[in-house]
């Protein structure tokens, strides 16, 4: 029998590694099990987010956006950049370097905090034990007073478009293209599909996005979603709604995709196809047969509001439990669970988890949409402000988009904030903090904002809730 730990975490993604570090900081003997093999053939930490998700995709989004700016926007600012070209292989190498630095950084944090890193595939077995199978097939069993399952998720595959190396790929494969495809198909107009489609559209691909649903970004406030769709189409993304993919056929270096829409059966030919239809929890094989941890029919582990499973001492966090599949949600759950295991009181406010789509402009939101509130019978009042009226946005050459605040008509408490615009992902933190403290729209309206900043749009939106906006004409009477 190997060492016994106070806490063993299965998975070193943004939920798992954070949980392990926090546990160790609180004086617990903690270990973290990880099996992810990096490009150099060794086990690396960080999970999907750092290796093939959040971080590498943002590196490509940032590089491709700067390319578009240099090619099309610098001239308006008086900058003569000449003939701008993109070295895709160099862009990819930079992305890989960033990933390597960050995954290596987690290993350093483990050492600094006294977390034991265990390499291999972890499985919860009976009696609060974790069985780890290393890369050579050797098995070791560890005892633990507490176990945290943070196994993450994997991309969903669909029968009509089986993955074909280099031709039909998932989000991971889309981060490895070494040249810009001329014709690129993207199945799914969700967060991942729009971000990856944006990268390659900026670099010159003819991008067509096929979305089975009839509505665009239904989880986003209707007004913001409509504005976002218009902006992305203007950039060149051909977004086809109500397009249900029915089959595909590989033809050498091309793929023919068949789909149905309101006009019947259709087909398109692409040089590359990215399948981005969602993710599913990676829980198969993580819980041994005979262990009574409950899972639903989709593979999610049942947990309570504090991420406890039905088995005492076994917790589950992140993508393998209910709630949005977001790295920051997983991290906060990891901290909460570690605190609880250490004997502290902790909880998480699931009503104030921010969401961001890192297109340009970015789309960010927190809390309710206007349609959510109305569906619940809540009378609301709203205020919006366009970046076209922002002095800083004009100076930044980033006047597209707007900020919107939704408040309870009776109490004035902020129920949601939605932004499409430059740095929306940064600005949405104002809404998160405001809602965390139960702020009213008036609280933000009475706050002094620095001038000139993009955040002034949030201030003006708060003022507009009661018809008090200064830098635009108000649609409602002032009170």
């Amino acid at each position: 029998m190997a060492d016994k730990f106070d806490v063993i975490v299965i998975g070193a993604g943004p939920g798992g590694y954070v949980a392990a570090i926090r546990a160790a900081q609180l004086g617990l003997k903690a270990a973290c099990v990880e099996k992810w093999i990096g490009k150099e053939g060794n086990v690396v930490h960080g999970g999907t987010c750092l290796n093939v998700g959040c971080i590498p995709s943002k590196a490509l989004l940032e590089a491709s956006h700067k390319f578009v700016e240099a090619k099309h926007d610098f001239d308006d600012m008086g900058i003569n950049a000449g003939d701008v070209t993109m070295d895709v292989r160099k862009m990819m190498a930079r992305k890989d370097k960033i990933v390597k630095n960050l995954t290596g950084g987690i290993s350093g944090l483990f050492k600094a905090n006294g977390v034991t890193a265990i390499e291999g595939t972890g499985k919860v077995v009976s009696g609060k034990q974790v069985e780890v199978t290393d890369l050579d097939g050797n098995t070791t069993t560890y005892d633990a007073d507490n176990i945290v399952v943070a196994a993450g998720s994997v991309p969903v595959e669909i029968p009509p478009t089986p993955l074909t190396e280099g031709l039909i790929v998932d989000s991971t494969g889309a981060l490895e293209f070494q040249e810009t495809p001329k014709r690129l198909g993207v199945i799914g107009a969700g967060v991942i599909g729009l971000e990856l489609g944006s990268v390659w559209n900026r670099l010159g691909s003819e991008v067509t996005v096929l979305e089975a649903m009839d509505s665009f970004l239904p989880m986003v406030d209707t007004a913001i979603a409509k504005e976002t769709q218009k902006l992305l189409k203007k950039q060149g993304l051909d977004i086809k709604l109500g397009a249900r993919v029915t089959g595909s056929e590989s033809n050498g270096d091309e793929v023919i995709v068949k789909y149905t829409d309101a006009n019947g059966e259709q087909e398109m030919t692409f040089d590359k196809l990215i399948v981005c239809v969602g993710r599913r929890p990676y829980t198969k094989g993580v819980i041994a047969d005979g262990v009574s941890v409950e899972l639903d029919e989709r593979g999610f582990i049942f947990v309570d509001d504090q991420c406890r499973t039905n088995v005492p001492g076994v917790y589950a966090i992140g993508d393998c439990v209910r709630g949005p599949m977001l790295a920051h949600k997983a991290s906060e759950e990891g901290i909460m669970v570690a605190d609880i295991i250490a004997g502290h009181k902790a909880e998480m406010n699931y009503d104030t988890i921010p969401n961001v789509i890192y297109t340009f402009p970015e789309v960010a939101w927190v809390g309710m949409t206007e349609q959510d509130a109305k569906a619940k019978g809540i009378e609301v009042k709203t205020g919006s402000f366009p970046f076209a009226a922002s002095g800083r946005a004009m100076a930044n050459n980033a006047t597209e988009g707007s900020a919107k605040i939704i408040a309870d008509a009776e109490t004035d408490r902020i129920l949601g904030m939605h932004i499409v615009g430059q740095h929306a992902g940064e600005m949405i933190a104002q809404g998160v903090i405001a809602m965390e403290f139960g702020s009213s729209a008036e609280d933000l309206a009475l706050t002094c904002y620095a001038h000139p900043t993009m955040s002034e749009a949030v201030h003006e939106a708060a003022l507009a809730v009661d018809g008090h906006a200064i830098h635009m004409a108000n649609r409602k009477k002032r009170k």
Side-chain angles (χ1 to χ4, degrees):
M1 182 66 65
D3 292 341
K4 180 179 180 180
F5 293 89
D6 296 319
V7 183
I8 295 180
V9 182
I10 299 177
Y17 83 75
V18 168
I21 290 173
R22 179 69 158 202
Q25 289 175 345
L26 294 172
L28 301 173
K29 185 177 181 181
C32 190
V33 183
E34 181 54 70
K35 69 171 186 175
W36 194 294
I37 304 298
K39 290 187 174 182
E40 297 179 358
N42 58 307
V43 172
V44 294
H45 301 118
T48 294
C49 177
L50 265 66
N51 288 281
V52 294
C54 319
I55 300 303
S57 63
K58 301 313 164 285
L60 300 188
L61 281 159
E62 186 67 18
S64 61
H65 175 59
K66 289 185 182 301
F67 171 67
V68 168
E69 277 194 311
K71 193 171 184 178
H72 300 293
D73 300 334
F74 279 6
D75 185 60
D76 289 341
M77 297 182 175
I79 303 172
N80 183 8
D83 184 20
V84 179
T85 60
M86 170 59 79
D87 185 335
V88 173
R89 291 181 180 273
K90 191 171 184 178
M91 177 183 72
M92 290 295 178
R94 173 181 176 270
K95 176 259 298 180
D96 290 341
K97 182 179 179 182
I98 293 170
V99 169
K100 184 178 180 180
N101 287 342
L102 286 171
T103 55
I106 294 174
S107 299
L109 289 171
F110 276 179
K111 292 179 181 178
N113 287 280
V115 175
T116 299
I118 301 174
E119 297 184 355
T121 302
K123 178 190 293 186
V124 179
V125 295
S126 60
K128 280 197 201 173
Q129 293 180 330
V130 174
E131 179 185 278
V132 179
T133 304
D134 66 20
L135 303 182
D136 296 322
N138 301 313
T139 299
T140 305
T141 301
Y142 299 85
D143 279 334
D145 290 330
N146 299 276
I147 299 170
V148 181
V149 179
S153 62
V154 293
V156 170
E157 298 181 29
I158 55 176
T161 54
L163 301 186
T164 305
E165 186 174 355
L167 186 60
I168 303 176
V169 301
D170 57 16
S171 56
T172 300
L175 297 172
E176 299 299 332
F177 293 164
Q178 295 301 309
E179 58 183 21
T180 302
K182 184 177 186 301
R183 300 163 300 176
L184 175 65
V186 179
I187 302 178
V191 175
I192 299 173
L194 293 177
E195 289 184 358
L196 293 175
S198 291
V199 168
W200 297 106
N201 173 61
R202 294 168 187 170
L203 300 181
S205 294
E206 299 170 4
V207 179
T208 301
V209 182
L210 302 174
E211 170 57 52
M213 297 185 67
D214 294 321
S215 57
F216 181 72
L217 294 178
M219 66 288 200
V220 179
D221 187 84
T222 301
I224 297 296
K226 184 177 180 180
E227 190 169 5
T228 302
Q229 184 179 9
K230 180 180 177 181
L231 292 172
L232 293 177
K233 283 190 174 183
K234 181 181 176 182
Q235 292 173 13
L237 285 178
D238 182 10
I239 302 172
K240 297 183 183 297
L241 300 177
R244 184 175 297 276
V245 175
T246 58
S248 63
E249 179 183 337
S250 299
N251 183 17
D253 295 330
E254 298 178 337
V255 56
I256 300 170
V257 177
K258 298 178 181 179
Y259 65 96
T260 60
D261 61 14
N263 297 316
E265 296 183 359
Q266 312 287 342
E267 68 176 44
M268 295 189 71
T269 302
F270 303 108
D271 299 301
K272 302 281 186 184
L273 180 66
I274 307 174
V275 181
C276 300
V277 294
R279 300 180 65 84
R280 60 178 176 81
Y282 184 77
T283 51
K284 186 177 181 180
V286 177
I287 311 293
D289 294 338
V291 177
S292 58
V293 172
E294 293 182 3
L295 284 74
D296 70 13
E297 68 280 359
R298 296 181 297 165
F300 287 99
I301 299 173
F302 281 114
V303 292
D304 65 11
D305 290 342
Q306 294 178 308
C307 292
R308 298 181 182 89
T309 70
N310 60 299
V311 176
V314 178
Y315 301 78
I317 63 174
D319 286 5
C320 59
V321 303
R322 78 289 178 270
M325 289 182 168
L326 298 170
H328 45 280
K329 175 255 195 185
S331 294
E332 291 305 313
E333 287 179 331
I335 290 173
M336 174 179 68
V337 166
D339 285 353
I340 291 170
I341 291 172
H344 302 295
K345 293 182 179 179
E347 63 180 3
M348 181 172 170
N349 187 354
Y350 286 92
D351 293 331
T352 57
I353 298 175
N355 293 260
V356 186
I357 305 175
Y358 295 90
T359 49
F360 189 89
E362 292 178 352
V363 187
W365 67 96
V366 62
M368 293 185 188
T369 64
E370 187 172 353
Q371 57 265 33
D372 287 338
K374 289 181 178 179
K376 294 181 178 180
I378 303 173
E379 187 177 350
V380 299
K381 52 184 179 177
T382 66
S384 298
F385 188 80
F387 285 106
S390 163
R392 182 57 191 268
M394 293 180 193
N396 288 5
N397 198 26
T399 56
E400 297 175 324
S402 62
K404 179 177 180 178
I405 290 176
I406 300 157
D408 188 299
E410 182 178 354
T411 66
D412 196 42
R413 177 166 289 191
I414 296 172
L415 301 176
M417 182 182 292
H418 304 261
I419 307 172
V420 53
Q422 185 185 53
H423 305 315
E426 309 294 338
M427 287 187 284
I428 201 62
Q430 298 174 63
V432 175
I433 294 170
M435 290 178 62
E436 189 67 36
F437 283 91
S439 300
S440 64
E442 184 184 37
D443 288 329
L444 288 184
L446 292 174
T447 300
C448 182
Y449 280 68
H451 175 77
T453 60
M454 298 292 286
S455 287
E456 286 179 294
V458 173
H459 187 213
E460 290 280 352
L463 286 163
V465 167
D466 285 318
H468 295 158
I470 302 298
H471 294 95
M472 72 171 187
N474 290 280
R475 294 182 178 180
K476 59 185 74 174
K477 292 182 178 180
R478 299 171 185 168
K479 296 180 180 179

